Amino acid sequence: MEKRETAFYQGVVQIALLVTLQSLLQSSFSVMDQVMIGQLGSEKIAGIGLGGKFASIYSVVLGAIAGAAGVMMAQYLGQKNQKDLQKSFWINLLGSLCLALLFTTVCLLFSREIMQIYTKDTETSPLAAEYLQTYCLSFFPMALISISAVLLRCIGAAVYPLLASILAVFINTGLNYILIFGKYGVPALGVKGAAWASVISQWAACVMTLLFLIRERRKQAISLKFDWKLETEKRRVYFQILAPILFCEFFWSMGENVYGILYGNLGTQSCAAMTMTGPIQALMMGALSGLSQAAGILVGKSLGKGAYEKAYEESKKFMGLGFIGSLLFSILLVCFGTYYVEFYQVPQEVQRMSYQILVVFALISPAKVQNMILGGGIIRSGGMTKYVMWIDIIGTWGVGVPLGLLAGFVWKLPILWVYFLLSLEELLRWGISLWIFQTKRWMKRL
């Protein structure tokens, strides 16, 4: 039993720690962008926030494809099925690249029209459109990185995506300083400079990730011959996994964008305050996202071997670790959040609103983390993604969006209470997820 416990926690550390560090580094992109842009005023902070909100639809849908890829790859590795492993890699990579092409085209052609939906502010809307039109050039490298990183993690090489992220952070930070403020003879580009820094750093990380994948493929003798044609039964299973993830993640991200439109229409100061909290929320969730990724891989491998009781016990351990971690981070956030908002050169009223929103996030984050681990890792690992789809749709569109719209447009409440009411969806989702987890119906072998 002790050996099994040791092996479990070694696996958690090997995957979760590295994925967490990578997530934190990726989240630091938005931190660096916003803290530096924050020196230029509320309008520019709001511009980056709204431009990034629409771009998040792409990120979320791309994450859905990567999630389906992770389920398949983990289970096929558990079955030692290399043929279907390589097929799942290519079919998900091709899907991700098609998605990148679609979103890049839309953003290049219609960024101004899109941002006019988010805000009528004549200063913020053009800035948001300018940011989005440049930032979308990072969508192709993000697609390549995402699927390649999934495979590297599944084969025990999670350190390589981390190293690529470290490179990207250094490049992004340096270029932010140069391009936003105009250093070393380069003209000051402001918001557009922040976008170009992200694009260049993502392409650098992409090249490095692909080189690591080629190296590890040869080292472990993993075949990645181009083959994306699945047999009829395997294709049916694939779409049973992918379709609910795509559906739920797309509609979840649309719900988040409804929130973005809501914040944008509450005024520039309210939108800036909400945007300022985004990087901290991303950092906190990123710090615990490794548990979700590790749960998906380790529990998925156990299910692939048919070890159902082991998978169930491992799942409970992941949930316990997530609860403890989220509680500690919430306490730290309440204690030190005021220092973070003071980094921004914005009015004190905006700083005050931003800190209050962080306190609400700290209160709701334990439920949010449990939903991430259960929905994004444990329940999904058995391929029963339709459960996750319904949980997210009921939470977002049945509770969050209606309460948010009522609070903002009907009851005319301040942004603090708007955010609190729409965040109550997390409690409902948590309750439903726990019930599904206890039924064990999600425990399936592909």
Side-chain angles (χ1 to χ4, degrees):
M1 184 62 70
E2 289 184 3
K3 288 184 178 180
R4 181 181 292 183
E5 291 284 314
T6 302
F8 169 75
Y9 286 110
Q10 285 177 344
V12 172
V13 171
Q14 186 180 28
I15 299 171
L17 181 59
L18 295 175
V19 172
T20 293
L21 290 173
Q22 185 185 0
S23 296
L24 290 173
L25 288 168
Q26 289 173 338
S27 298
S28 72
F29 278 0
S30 57
V31 174
M32 289 299 129
D33 287 354
Q34 291 186 26
V35 169
M36 291 188 187
I37 284 292
Q39 310 309 307
L40 305 180
S42 299
E43 291 80 9
K44 290 182 173 60
I45 296 174
I48 278 190
L50 293 176
K53 204 69 177 177
F54 181 79
S56 71
I57 298 177
Y58 168 75
S59 299
V60 167
V61 178
L62 176 63
I65 298 176
V71 171
M72 298 173 72
M73 291 181 195
Q75 289 227 8
Y76 290 141
L77 278 168
Q79 298 170 21
K80 301 187 184 301
N81 184 346
Q82 283 219 17
K83 183 179 179 181
D84 285 331
L85 173 67
Q86 72 180 18
K87 288 182 178 182
S88 62
F89 171 80
W90 284 111
I91 194 170
N92 285 292
L93 181 60
L94 290 173
S96 298
L97 292 174
C98 290
L99 182 72
L101 177 61
L102 173 63
F103 272 83
T104 301
T105 303
V106 169
C107 291
L108 287 174
L109 297 179
F110 304 109
S111 60
R112 289 188 178 275
E113 291 80 359
I114 292 168
M115 287 300 104
Q116 285 171 1
I117 299 172
Y118 283 74
T119 179
K120 302 302 180 186
D121 190 296
T122 54
E123 289 188 50
T124 303
S125 182
L127 289 170
E130 183 181 31
Y131 179 81
L132 180 62
Q133 199 165 42
T134 301
Y135 183 78
C136 71
L137 300 177
S138 68
F139 289 170
F140 275 102
M142 287 170 65
L144 291 165
I145 291 169
S146 182
I147 304 302
S148 299
V150 169
L151 179 57
L152 284 168
R153 290 176 192 136
C154 285
I155 62 177
V159 67
Y160 295 129
L162 171 63
L163 293 175
S165 293
I166 292 173
L167 171 69
V169 166
F170 278 111
I171 293 174
N172 185 63
T173 304
L175 289 179
N176 266 330
Y177 177 71
I178 294 170
L179 298 177
I180 291 174
F181 302 113
K183 302 296 181 180
Y184 307 112
V186 177
L189 299 178
V191 167
K192 196 167 187 176
W196 273 116
S198 295
V199 171
I200 295 169
S201 58
Q202 286 285 6
W203 275 106
C206 176
V207 171
M208 192 172 183
T209 301
L210 292 176
L211 290 175
F212 281 136
L213 179 61
I214 293 169
R215 177 183 180 275
E216 200 63 22
R217 181 192 70 81
R218 291 173 178 170
K219 181 181 176 182
Q220 298 193 29
I222 295 172
S223 174
L224 284 182
K225 180 181 177 182
F226 182 71
D227 184 4
W228 60 278
K229 294 182 179 179
L230 294 171
E231 295 83 359
T232 303
E233 181 61 24
K234 291 278 174 45
R235 188 163 57 246
R236 183 185 64 81
V237 171
Y238 172 64
F239 283 109
Q240 281 182 344
I241 295 171
L242 178 62
I245 297 179
L246 277 177
F247 191 81
C248 86
E249 295 292 357
F250 176 75
F251 278 95
W252 175 82
S253 66
M254 290 302 295
E256 289 293 308
N257 275 264
V258 170
Y259 300 154
I261 294 170
L262 175 59
Y263 302 145
N265 282 275
L266 288 176
T268 299
Q269 286 198 339
S270 294
C271 185
M274 193 69 220
T275 301
M276 285 165 57
T277 69
I280 292 298
Q281 293 191 33
L283 283 171
M284 182 168 169
M285 297 304 291
L288 296 168
S289 65
L291 291 173
S292 176
Q293 293 273 352
I297 292 172
L298 295 180
V299 175
K301 285 183 177 180
S302 295
L303 292 175
K305 296 174 183 176
Y308 298 115
E309 284 306 313
K310 179 183 177 185
Y312 190 73
E313 291 303 315
E314 287 175 341
S315 299
K316 290 194 288 186
K317 291 173 186 175
F318 277 114
M319 291 161 61
L321 290 171
F323 184 77
I324 294 170
S326 61
L327 202 58
L328 290 174
F329 279 115
S330 291
I331 294 170
L332 290 173
L333 187 55
V334 172
C335 293
F336 299 105
T338 51
Y339 298 104
Y340 166 74
V341 298
E342 289 173 358
F343 280 119
Y344 292 85
Q345 298 300 313
V346 294
Q348 286 190 343
E349 176 63 17
V350 177
Q351 291 182 352
R352 183 185 63 81
M353 284 191 293
S354 184
Y355 175 70
Q356 289 175 339
I357 294 168
L358 286 177
V359 172
V360 173
F361 172 74
L363 293 173
I364 208 76
S365 62
K368 199 175 184 73
V369 170
Q370 289 298 305
N371 290 330
M372 176 177 67
I373 293 172
L374 278 164
I378 294 169
I379 296 174
R380 188 175 286 181
S381 67
M384 301 304 290
T385 52
K386 64 182 179 181
Y387 292 150
V388 182
M389 175 186 73
W390 287 113
I391 292 168
D392 285 350
I393 289 174
I394 291 170
T396 301
W397 292 95
V399 177
V401 170
L403 282 179
L405 293 176
L406 283 171
F409 293 133
V410 179
W411 301 330
K412 306 292 184 182
L413 297 177
I415 190 167
L416 170 67
W417 292 105
V418 173
Y419 178 66
F420 173 74
L421 288 172
L422 64 85
S423 295
L424 294 177
E425 66 164 286
E426 297 291 347
L427 299 178
L428 176 65
R429 290 171 59 202
W430 188 15
I432 299 173
S433 297
L434 281 174
W435 174 73
I436 290 175
F437 171 74
Q438 291 172 347
T439 66
K440 300 186 179 181
R441 293 175 184 172
W442 55 274
M443 298 173 67
K444 302 289 183 182
R445 185 175 184 267
L446 298 184

